[in-house]
Amino acid sequence: MKPTRAVLSRYFPDEVVRKIEERFNIKTLYPTQVAAVEKGVLDGKNIVLSAPTASGKTLVAELAALKHLLNGGKVLYLAPLRALASEKFKEFKEFFGEFGYRSVLSTGDYDTADPSLGKYDVIVTTNEKADSLLRHSAPWFPDVTLVIADEVHLLGSEKRGATLEVLLTRILLSEDPPQILGLSATIGNLEEVARWLNATPVSVEWRPVLLREGVYYDGTIFYADGASRSVEDVGSALANLVHDVLREEGQALVFSPTRRAASSDAKKLSVYTRKFLRDSERRHLKEAARKVLSSHADKLTNELAELMLHGVAFHHAGLSGDARETVEQLFREGFLKTVVATPTLAAGVNLPARRVIITDYRRYNVELGYHESIPVMEYKQMAGRAGRPQYDREGEAILIARNMEEVEFLFKRYVYSAPETLQSQLGSEPVLRAQVLAVISTESRIKTTEDLDRFLERTFFALKFGTFSLSTLSRKVLRRLVEGGLVELNGEALKPTFLGRRVAELYIDPETALEGLRFFNSTPASSELAYLFLVSKTPDMVTLSVRRSDYEFLETELENRKNEIPYQVPEDEIEYEFFLSYLKTALLLSDWINEVPEDVIVEKYDVGPGDIYSMTQTAEWIAYSLSQIADVTGHKEHSSRLGVLSKRIAHGVKEELLELVSLRGIGRVRARRLYEHGYKSLVDLILADERDLTRIPGIGPNLARSIKRQLGAVGEKEEENEEDYGPVEEGQLNLDSYL
DNA sequence: TTCTCAGAGATCTAGACAGCATGTC
DNA sequence: CTAGATCTCTGAGAA
């Protein structure tokens, strides 16, 4: 810890330092921040900073950014998750706003028009969004003088690592490369990653709250420091650990390996958590539960609401976004005593708790078909959530062992182990295929295979494995792209086709486009289900797994609607299962756009509202992209059908409601009600009496007024959008006020 | 005849980025 | 170093 002034006065004018000290009450700097400054973040040096969660990495980023802003620079901040991006955006808006600089957020689900991004000083995006913006040749990019890559260890992620790797490679190779600040969890090969980024590695282990790691077995917590603690036996191991910390007015964050385990653990714990609730807390929780249920009335949400009344909740991706946020907030405010989560919360938003409990170190891997131990890095991420900086003197991360030998094993495997080394994920063919197409399509400097090789030489993969294997693989990948008509290769000369460029811009997997083309070329304009099946079959779509109990209904549907599906039913058993899972996915989407209620879909397909949301969102994007691909390749009929379908998926409605649903505040349910009451078009609504509208259930006076206002302002709509407020919440309608 | 319950066998398993044009119940 | 919690089916015995 050092006085802020002592460290910063060299770099910032007095009034800036004063503002940091006084306005933000930062009187001293953490070791993390001191170390980063000493290694040269503020001197423009590339840095990869590895430090625990909550050890002050964000302030390092803010200081570095501020330095650039004061010099007239521009900052690009990359986050791996939308939720993280929007969390940082809020922080930055406040911090940089104080100095007169403007921040924007741009992610897939929340976007401002691209050109206007250039007006801002700090641009916050997800990695993929930044990549996409670059593919659309963001005109402001050359002005960026600092790139901050948060959670760079994502580089090692099988699914998404390559995007970040290629994005960073592009940045490294850009004409006038910006400073790079990488922020990372602890990794095994920090030096290597730093070397790749021309950066100085800075590793700090300091935390603002002491972390004690331990393993529990049979009534005792064994700590890494040799101490131990007896825990009162109230039931199971998990119950004991939770009860023990609640008794001392702490909170517990429990990690369970599956959704089912999370909700069943939460249920078992409710007996204990409820005892620690005060009346006022109980009332608050009741209100919150009511609110959660007002937007989703399905099985899963009901289960959650019921548990919330007892001071516990589960948290996983099946929950709707607002339910998840509610749980996070209630836990932060102390109303919920315990949250049981799947790994969503391990890498997502920071939700610290006095005691973190990891119930199982194994996780089932569907691809491998067996349980594997979770990586050390993931354990460290979960453990790092222990201890709330303002409230707890120390935090505890406890693994549960089932016998004495396992206690020892867990210490060795997790507590005392260093995290794994990061591996480049660029070496897999499908991954490289998409990236190579993107690079060829959008990097104007890449005109020959030699240029491509030179680019690939600069990747993290090449640093580690040399160029040879990558260039061999890239030739193979190129051949495939040429065959697919996405790239033209004349001798050494390399050029994207129009289609290829479009695929890169749409951000879809080249295989998705090729799958679409095969469909368009072999099938005349088709049924709704055919298109949905196509969307589901695409590698960009997440498909539902087929359960034993699904066979019956899937096979009947298949029998009845075989003629609607322009694909052969495969003989091969494994292929057949894939086929059924595409069918199941297509059927869910079909129910969705035919206005089957959400709670019915939840029951029928055994998914949560959050799953429906993410599936429909993905399907909408793919359907739109495929309609674009059809358009570009001259399949007009396919294109227009897919275009309509995409809109229907977005809103979950039949075609006849598309017009109504364009109104703000009107979704699938209210649109249907309006329709049933005879308001079938916007014109009907223009002619309608405002008071008559309020008689329709679900439409109150505020909403009725809003509808009329929107319709009256049709001609002035442009004006409304003209003024750019950035992604600010105030711009949103508060729908609660309609109810 | 119907219900209940124990035991055996079968089943199932985390997460979440992107386009484009505007906003759920 | 490791699969285990939950669902479903079946059949025996009770009501």
Side-chain angles (χ1 to χ4, degrees):
Chain A
M1 299 273 214
K2 283 193 182 176
T4 302
R5 180 167 301 269
V7 182
L8 296 186
S9 55
R10 256 189 69 205
Y11 298 96
F12 295 103
D14 275 354
E15 69 267 24
V16 170
V17 177
R18 204 171 313 126
K19 205 169 238 176
I20 294 171
E21 287 184 323
E22 274 148 37
R23 171 66 183 81
F24 296 103
N25 199 24
I26 300 167
K27 300 279 161 57
T28 56
L29 293 184
Y30 288 166
T32 317
Q33 293 140 6
V34 175
V37 172
E38 279 170 0
K39 296 286 182 169
V41 234
L42 298 181
D43 301 300
K45 283 197 182 145
N46 288 2
I47 298 279
V48 183
L49 173 61
S50 145
T53 344
S55 65
K57 278 183 281 191
T58 301
L59 186 57
V60 173
E62 285 169 338
L63 292 174
L66 192 56
K67 189 85 187 17
H68 280 262
L69 297 177
L70 290 167
N71 292 335
K74 194 186 274 300
V75 178
L76 175 63
Y77 189 96
L78 305 170
L81 261 37
R82 292 173 187 169
L84 249 33
S86 90
E87 201 179 63
K88 289 298 178 207
F89 164 70
K90 282 179 203 145
E91 262 179 85
F92 290 172
K93 200 169 65 162
E94 198 197 332
F95 186 87
F96 298 120
E98 197 63 34
F99 298 94
Y101 296 108
R102 304 213 296 161
S103 310
V104 237
L105 175 67
S106 176
T107 66
D109 63 347
Y110 202 101
D111 203 4
T112 48
D114 295 2
S116 74
L117 288 180
K119 295 193 299 199
Y120 294 87
D121 307 297
V122 179
I123 301 169
V124 182
T125 72
T126 52
N127 300 327
E128 282 77 4
K129 184 63 185 190
D131 186 25
S132 164
L133 289 168
L134 247 61
R135 291 185 188 192
H136 291 269
S137 63
W140 45 265
F141 180 68
D143 300 334
V144 170
T145 56
L146 170 67
V147 172
I148 301 166
D150 202 353
E151 320 263 354
V152 260
H153 54 266
L154 186 80
L155 223 38
S157 144
E158 202 177 318
K159 282 224 167 66
R160 296 173 55 205
T163 308
L164 180 57
E165 181 173 341
V166 171
L167 175 62
L168 289 173
T169 304
R170 264 190 219 205
I171 290 168
L172 284 169
L173 289 174
S174 60
E175 205 127 321
D176 185 12
Q179 183 189 352
I180 295 177
L181 169 59
L183 305 175
S184 172
T186 320
I187 51 172
N189 52 344
L190 182 68
E191 281 72 22
E192 207 169 30
V193 174
R195 185 145 44 90
W196 173 52
L197 293 171
N198 285 333
T200 309
V202 180
S203 176
V204 179
E205 282 179 24
W206 178 88
R207 287 173 43 104
V209 187
L210 184 71
L211 172 63
R212 297 186 86 190
E213 292 170 83
V215 177
Y216 173 91
Y217 174 63
D218 193 25
T220 309
I221 303 172
F222 301 94
Y223 292 103
D225 55 23
S228 64
R229 173 190 173 98
S230 310
V231 171
E232 187 192 337
D233 186 23
V234 295
S236 64
L238 178 58
N240 297 348
L241 286 168
V242 168
H243 181 259
D244 183 57
V245 74
L246 294 191
R247 218 172 38 175
E248 298 185 354
E249 287 175 0
Q251 289 169 295
L253 175 60
V254 180
F255 284 104
S256 291
T258 66
R259 291 180 179 189
R260 209 161 56 181
S263 64
S264 101
D265 285 344
K267 197 169 197 170
K268 285 177 202 153
L269 290 172
S270 62
V271 189
Y272 308 98
T273 52
R274 61 190 299 177
K275 289 195 290 202
F276 297 94
L277 285 179
R278 284 188 284 271
D279 278 347
S280 61
E281 293 176 323
R282 203 168 278 129
R283 275 196 301 276
H284 188 98
L285 287 168
K286 200 166 177 185
E287 182 56 24
R290 198 193 58 79
K291 225 175 202 164
V292 165
L293 280 178
S294 72
S295 54
H296 298 275
D298 56 276
K299 206 170 83 183
L300 190 76
T301 312
N302 266 296
E303 207 183 317
L304 175 74
E306 171 64 28
L307 287 169
M308 277 167 56
L309 301 178
H310 300 288
V312 232
F314 54 86
H315 186 289
H316 60 63
L319 290 175
S320 65
D322 51 324
R324 282 162 72 170
E325 275 172 38
T326 304
V327 169
E328 290 158 21
Q329 197 189 338
L330 289 171
F331 187 74
R332 256 192 283 266
E333 294 169 347
F335 292 105
L336 287 173
K337 302 301 168 193
T338 297
V339 165
V340 188
T342 55
T344 9
L345 280 181
V349 290
N350 191 18
L351 200 66
R354 166 100 50 93
R355 183 174 281 174
V356 166
I357 303 164
I358 297 146
T359 59
D360 202 335
Y361 67 96
R362 292 155 305 179
R363 187 158 50 239
Y364 187 83
N365 183 322
V366 183
E367 273 107 62
L368 298 176
Y370 55 80
H371 277 83
E372 51 184 357
S373 356
I374 58 170
V376 178
M377 181 145 83
E378 200 177 318
Y379 161 75
K380 297 287 181 198
Q381 291 247 355
M382 294 191 277
R385 306 269 116 137
R388 305 178 67 182
Q390 277 90 31
Y391 306 92
D392 301 326
R393 215 185 66 255
E394 57 177 40
E396 295 181 337
I398 316 280
L399 286 150
I400 294 177
R402 284 163 303 168
N403 53 55
M404 211 50 212
E405 296 82 72
E406 202 174 71
V407 173
E408 207 171 313
F409 166 74
L410 289 173
F411 268 113
K412 216 170 85 193
R413 176 77 173 78
Y414 290 108
V415 181
Y416 298 134
S417 277
E420 293 77 7
T421 59
L422 289 190
Q423 301 290 348
S424 168
Q425 300 302 134
L426 206 52
S428 105
E429 203 179 315
V431 167
L432 192 65
R433 195 187 301 139
Q435 296 299 337
V436 162
L437 175 64
V439 163
I440 293 173
S441 307
T442 57
E443 281 283 333
S444 52
R445 291 167 302 166
I446 295 181
K447 295 191 173 72
T448 63
T449 48
E450 201 187 316
D451 295 338
L452 178 63
D453 284 344
R454 246 198 320 264
F455 182 92
L456 294 175
E457 266 171 35
R458 195 61 186 85
T459 59
F460 184 51
F461 184 98
L463 177 87
K464 199 142 183 206
F465 302 108
T467 332
F468 182 73
S469 54
L470 206 52
S471 116
T472 316
L473 191 59
S474 80
R475 289 299 174 281
K476 198 169 165 194
V477 156
L478 270 181
R479 224 173 304 135
R480 178 90 179 107
L481 291 171
V482 171
E483 277 167 22
L486 301 171
V487 169
E488 278 171 24
L489 182 61
N490 290 315
E492 294 275 288
L494 220 44
K495 220 177 90 190
T497 62
F498 188 66
L499 177 64
R501 183 166 295 145
R502 202 67 195 108
V503 168
E505 286 171 355
L506 290 165
Y507 218 83
I508 52 175
D509 189 320
E511 286 303 317
T512 293
L514 297 179
E515 187 73 57
L517 281 181
R518 280 194 293 273
F519 181 100
F520 304 145
N521 288 326
S522 63
T523 322
S526 315
S527 71
E528 184 180 295
L529 189 65
Y531 291 112
L532 293 175
F533 194 93
L534 166 64
V535 167
S536 306
K537 197 171 184 294
T538 266
D540 281 308
M541 187 66 195
V542 205
T543 50
L544 292 166
S545 62
V546 176
R547 305 231 175 56
R548 208 74 347 210
S549 52
D550 292 330
Y551 270 84
E552 200 185 325
F553 103 90
L554 287 178
E555 285 180 334
T556 354
E557 288 283 357
L558 181 56
E559 201 50 48
N560 296 338
R561 309 182 70 174
K562 214 179 220 160
N563 56 335
E564 292 179 49
I565 301 167
Y567 291 98
Q568 279 285 318
V569 181
E571 298 285 327
D572 179 79
E573 203 179 317
I574 295 163
E575 293 284 306
Y576 181 65
E577 238 183 78
F578 276 116
F579 189 89
L580 286 187
S581 84
Y582 303 145
L583 178 64
K584 186 176 171 188
T585 308
L587 288 170
L588 183 147
L589 293 172
S590 164
D591 281 353
W592 171 249
I593 63 174
N594 286 300
E595 298 174 36
V596 173
E598 191 184 59
D599 55 327
V600 176
I601 296 180
V602 164
E603 289 271 352
K604 181 170 169 191
Y605 297 92
D606 194 22
V607 292
D611 300 305
I612 298 176
Y613 177 80
S614 72
M615 286 180 73
T616 53
Q617 197 182 242
T618 305
E620 180 209 354
W621 160 57
I622 297 171
Y624 172 84
S625 299
L626 287 174
S627 100
Q628 292 290 300
I629 296 300
D631 185 52
V632 164
T633 53
H635 298 96
K636 301 296 174 194
E637 183 67 19
H638 285 305
S639 174
S640 79
R641 292 209 187 198
L642 277 161
V644 171
L645 203 60
S646 158
K647 289 193 189 125
R648 289 183 57 198
I649 298 172
H651 297 103
V653 294
K654 294 181 185 164
E655 194 168 348
E656 66 208 28
L657 293 190
L658 279 179
E659 201 174 307
L660 296 179
V661 109
S662 70
L663 289 167
R664 260 176 297 143
I666 304 297
R668 64 200 302 247
V669 174
R670 286 178 182 146
R672 178 50 64 192
R673 295 226 179 104
L674 284 169
Y675 196 90
E676 278 168 358
H677 283 81
Y679 305 105
K680 302 192 176 183
S681 68
L682 295 182
V683 174
D684 290 341
L685 285 171
I686 288 172
L687 300 174
D689 181 69
E690 195 174 310
R691 265 164 316 177
D692 285 342
L693 292 179
T694 62
R695 281 194 260 281
I696 299 171
I699 295 178
N702 286 331
L703 186 52
R705 199 177 326 122
S706 157
I707 290 173
K708 292 305 262 186
R709 201 171 342 114
Q710 290 179 58
L711 291 168
V714 166
E716 303 151 43
K717 220 169 167 188
E718 287 287 328
E719 198 183 322
E720 241 177 88
N721 292 344
E722 183 76 37
E723 188 55 31
D724 183 18
Y725 296 102
V728 196
E729 285 72 27
E730 294 110 60
Q732 298 184 336
L733 282 178
N734 180 4
L735 294 166
D736 278 346
S737 64
Y738 295 148
L739 298 169

